[in-house]
Amino acid sequence: MRKTRKSVLAMLAVLVISGWVLSFSACGKKEGNVETKSLYTQGLEVVQLMSEMVQSEEYIGMYTDNSDIKSVIQNISTGDYTAPKAVYAISIADENLAIIGEIRNLSHISTELKTFLTHRIFGSVMVQLNSMSGVESLAAASICTIGKTFVNKDVKEDVIYLYTYDNAIPIAVTFIVGEDQTVSADGVFIMYDAFTCESVEEVKSLFRILYGDYGNLDNTSMESLFNDMVEVTEVLPE
């Protein structure tokens, strides 16, 4: 029964990536003298909770008995997530997401469904990157993913904040805009060793790693996507 229970819990951990199973709510409205939290701050809160998560043997033990996965998580837990070295904001135009997801030529679906698919494609970018890191690393990242939902009327488009550290692996927090000024944030450890993020250009190279051999992109579209339509900027600390 214990192994069956852990198998179910592990499956739920994987579903976190697309469904935000481990989400928790936070109000970001300006009420009285309370200022709306920035995306930078909201992302830091996700990072700190993830740091606590990987250091909890009790939490990890709920989801897996696999020694290899536990070893990966143990390596993550040794990192220092006190303060990021640099934070980068990554955004992609909807038309380029449509190219990546091969949905731009879908003429028989509603605008609402296209919007839903666009959000899903953007939300899966970091999951795709982790899928290149091996089964154990992907499973570890899935178990240690967490999200939150908050209100922020100033956020108008989906964006990824990439938090980088001197002595820890990067963490990506993907912000997806929902209805009624809500924003969902989903944090994931970046497990792919070949991904370097020491500059804006290196972060932008992520999309060459993921989509450089993408069959539905001709050379012109690729250059436009990588050089012009994927926007990467450094976010200054607050």
Side-chain angles (χ1 to χ4, degrees), residues 77-93:
S77 70
T78 62
D80 181 2
Y81 297 96
T82 305
K85 175 178 64 175
V87 180
Y88 301 96
I90 305 168
S91 57
I92 311 174

Side-chain angles (χ1 to χ4, degrees), residues 72 129-141 191-192:
V72 172
L129 186 64
N130 275 343
S131 69
M132 301 168 64
S133 63
V135 175
E136 288 81 11
S137 292
L138 178 60
M191 308 299 293
Y192 185 56

Side-chain angles (χ1 to χ4, degrees), residues 99-138:
I99 293 172
I100 292 170
E102 301 182 349
I103 63 174
R104 59 178 175 170
N105 296 322
L106 297 180
S107 57
H108 300 295
I109 64 174
S110 65
T111 300
E112 290 77 11
L113 181 54
K114 283 186 178 180
T115 299
F116 169 79
L117 291 173
T118 300
H119 285 315
R120 172 164 285 186
I121 293 164
F122 189 77
S124 71
V125 169
M126 294 303 165
V127 180
Q128 288 180 271
L129 186 64
N130 275 343
S131 69
M132 301 168 64
S133 63
V135 175
E136 288 81 11
S137 292
L138 178 60

Side-chain angles (χ1 to χ4, degrees), residues 212-233:
D213 296 322
Y214 216 80
N216 66 322
L217 295 176
D218 57 33
N219 290 336
T220 301
S221 297
M222 286 173 60
E223 287 302 315
S224 175
L225 178 65
F226 295 148
N227 297 326
D228 300 324
M229 304 305 288
V230 176
E231 183 178 353
V232 179
T233 57

Side-chain angles (χ1 to χ4, degrees), residues 8-83:
V8 172
L9 288 172
M11 181 60 70
L12 287 176
V14 174
L15 291 175
V16 165
I17 296 174
S18 59
W20 293 278
V21 174
L22 294 176
S23 64
F24 57 93
S25 296
C27 181
K29 288 183 178 180
K30 183 177 181 179
E31 297 182 358
N33 295 324
V34 179
E35 295 288 338
T36 300
K37 294 179 182 178
S38 66
L39 293 187
Y40 184 96
T41 299
Q42 296 282 9
L44 283 179
E45 292 181 358
V46 172
V47 168
Q48 293 309 309
L49 196 58
M50 292 171 67
S51 176
E52 178 184 352
M53 179 185 291
V54 296
Q55 296 178 53
S56 171
E57 294 183 3
E58 290 182 333
Y59 170 80
I60 302 305
M62 289 175 58
Y63 288 92
T64 184
D65 281 326
N66 185 290
S67 59
D68 292 331
I69 296 175
K70 285 186 173 182
S71 177
V72 172
I73 296 174
Q74 176 62 33
N75 288 336
I76 296 173
S77 70
T78 62
D80 181 2
Y81 297 96
T82 305

Side-chain angles (χ1 to χ4, degrees), residues 178-191:
E179 296 182 349
D180 300 322
Q181 301 176 345
T182 60
V183 181
S184 60
D186 186 41
V188 63
F189 291 99
I190 302 302
M191 308 299 293

Side-chain angles (χ1 to χ4, degrees), residues 141-154:
S142 300
I143 290 172
C144 300
T145 298
I146 197 165
K148 66 187 296 185
T149 302
F150 55 92
V151 175
N152 189 323
K153 65 181 180 180
D154 298 323

